[in-house]
Amino acid sequence: MPTSKNGGGRLSPPAISALGLRKTYGGKTVLDGIDLHIPDGSVFALLGPNGAGKTTVVKILSTLVTADAGDLRVGGHDLAADPQAVRAAIGVTGQFSAVDGLITGEENMLLMADLHHLSRREGRRVTAELLERFDLTEAAKKPASTYSGGMKRRLDIAMTLVGDPRIIFLDEPTTGLDPRSRHTMWGIIRELVSDGVTVFLTTQYLEEADELADRIAVLNDGRIAAEGTAEELKRIVPGGHVRLRFTDPAAYHSAATALREVQRDDEALALQIPSGGSQRELRALLDRLDSAGVEADDLTVHTPDLDDVFFALTGGAAVPHQPKEAVR
Ligand code: ADP
């Protein structure tokens, strides 16, 4: 399993840690011994197909459901011994959001401020500030039931921030959102992180994990199938290649003859060579081209994308795809 070289919070205690987390529902093992270590101030994505157990992990770590076993710590507090302290340190927004559709966005916020025992004046100040920050000022006096999906999610996050949590759980924050709202949500999440908040995110979207997360764990069959940075995960699976492009047909043909295992594209004068993209492999390739006396006009290294990783690790479970424009 790959490990991070820049394990950000090695000196400070992790924001979230789990050792041997287990959960069974009516004889069915949903989580079969999960270990997590999430450094303070980082974004962690738990990626998995539908039914993998992502929401169960979030519910357990946010004290809504108790684990059967596991040494669990959130915000430096032991989950079993001090769930109250954990609750005070975290914010949770999920698919089952706390937004009450019958009252206005502003009233939802003020209710939250009351729950956090803010004074009336402070509650109003925080509400106005957060509504402004999440572009909801104009809609503040309308019932939340009239809000679009994206606006409801933004209100949900704004409500979570009333308590100024240092750790936020976002359970599938962009599921069901259109691409524009999804990008807005990504911006919001990045902003939270730049404020130093730790974000625990679950997602079915590979691109989302790739865009946002410092580290990604793939949950499959009740276990963490792999964990690492997006780049580390991509290196697990084959599928990488080098693409060489030529403008001179003679050079193209010489290169195709000099290299073994090439896939030719005669029309584009391009060659594709399987490669993990390591320096050693690239040097060997360039040496062979040099010996043949040819020079490519363009060389690009392609690493496999998270799709390849996900399908390799989860046995090809179906996941919804995002439009390709979302891929970096
Ligand atoms: P995900 O969030 O990855 O889609 P969940 O954590 O919601 O997955 O569910 C994981 C598995 O646990 C599913 O098979 C689901 O049916 C089961 N499960 C979740 N909650 C309960 C519950 N309260 N009672 C029984 N089974 C449950």
Side-chain angles (χ1 to χ4, degrees):
M1 192 179 294
T3 51
S4 169
K5 290 185 190 69
N6 61 353
R10 204 167 282 159
L11 295 176
S12 55
I16 300 168
S17 71
L19 255 183
L21 168 57
R22 299 180 63 84
K23 180 72 185 175
T24 306
Y25 277 123
K28 181 177 182 261
T29 302
V30 177
L31 303 174
D32 192 11
I34 285 185
D35 298 342
L36 299 169
H37 181 96
I38 302 170
D40 206 18
S42 66
V43 185
F44 176 84
L46 189 61
L47 185 65
N50 233 334
K54 303 182 295 297
T55 300
T56 305
V57 173
V58 169
K59 283 186 175 163
I60 289 171
L61 293 176
S62 57
T63 78
L64 298 173
V65 161
T66 42
D68 294 341
D71 182 4
L72 312 173
R73 300 186 71 81
V74 175
H77 309 287
D78 185 297
L79 212 77
D82 203 355
Q84 206 59 36
V86 171
R87 252 171 251 143
I90 65 169
V92 189
T93 78
Q95 298 164 74
F96 315 101
S97 90
V99 174
D100 182 344
L102 294 177
I103 57 176
T104 68
E106 186 177 53
E107 287 164 346
N108 268 289
M109 293 289 292
L110 291 172
L111 207 59
M112 215 51 170
D114 271 354
L115 283 175
H116 283 284
H117 308 295
L118 299 189
S119 69
R120 184 166 268 256
R121 188 192 162 90
E122 181 66 1
R124 292 223 159 261
R125 190 190 66 76
V126 170
T127 292
E129 189 184 298
L130 286 168
L131 287 174
E132 175 73 31
R133 174 168 165 195
F134 291 103
D135 201 15
L136 291 167
T137 305
E138 222 169 279
K141 306 238 183 274
K142 294 185 183 135
S145 59
T146 64
Y147 289 13
S148 69
M151 287 163 79
K152 273 187 197 143
R153 302 282 171 101
R154 297 208 302 277
L155 178 59
D156 200 6
I157 293 197
M159 287 165 66
T160 305
L161 293 185
V162 169
D164 200 18
R166 301 316 294 159
I167 300 170
I168 294 185
F169 293 91
L170 299 171
D171 194 14
E172 303 203 9
T174 67
T175 296
L177 292 188
D178 61 71
R180 182 183 292 270
S181 306
R182 174 167 295 144
H183 278 95
T184 305
M185 191 57 77
W186 288 356
I188 288 171
I189 294 170
R190 287 200 185 96
E191 211 175 288
L192 292 176
V193 177
S194 67
D195 287 349
V197 171
T198 305
V199 174
F200 184 111
L201 168 85
T202 74
T203 184
Q204 303 183 43
Y205 298 123
L206 304 152
E207 291 84 357
E208 184 156 290
D210 205 352
E211 279 284 336
L212 297 175
D214 297 308
R215 298 185 71 76
I216 301 167
V218 181
L219 186 61
N220 188 48
D221 241 358
R223 290 174 178 274
I224 303 288
E227 203 250 331
T229 63
E231 294 312 316
E232 286 168 341
L233 292 179
K234 287 173 194 173
R235 266 185 248 131
I236 297 175
V237 298
H241 62 265
V242 171
R243 189 175 158 89
L244 301 173
R245 228 169 30 81
F246 300 84
T247 43
D248 173 14
Y252 167 72
H253 287 292
S254 308
T257 315
L259 301 171
R260 278 156 292 173
E261 267 199 276
V262 291
Q263 201 179 311
R264 301 169 60 133
D265 181 344
D266 289 343
E267 213 161 295
L269 298 185
L271 298 172
Q272 196 165 302
I273 303 102
S275 168
S278 70
Q279 193 176 336
R280 181 201 300 249
E281 282 175 277
L282 287 178
R283 187 174 295 128
L285 174 65
L286 295 175
D287 284 347
R288 292 227 297 278
L289 288 172
D290 273 350
S291 317
V294 285
E295 200 172 303
D297 295 287
D298 187 41
L299 179 153
T300 43
V301 180
H302 294 258
T303 45
D305 64 15
L306 275 183
D307 279 303
D308 301 316
V309 180
F310 196 75
F311 290 125
L313 292 174
T314 64
V319 286
H321 280 256
Q322 282 186 259
K324 276 293 174 193
E325 43 122 326
V327 181
R328 267 188 299 192

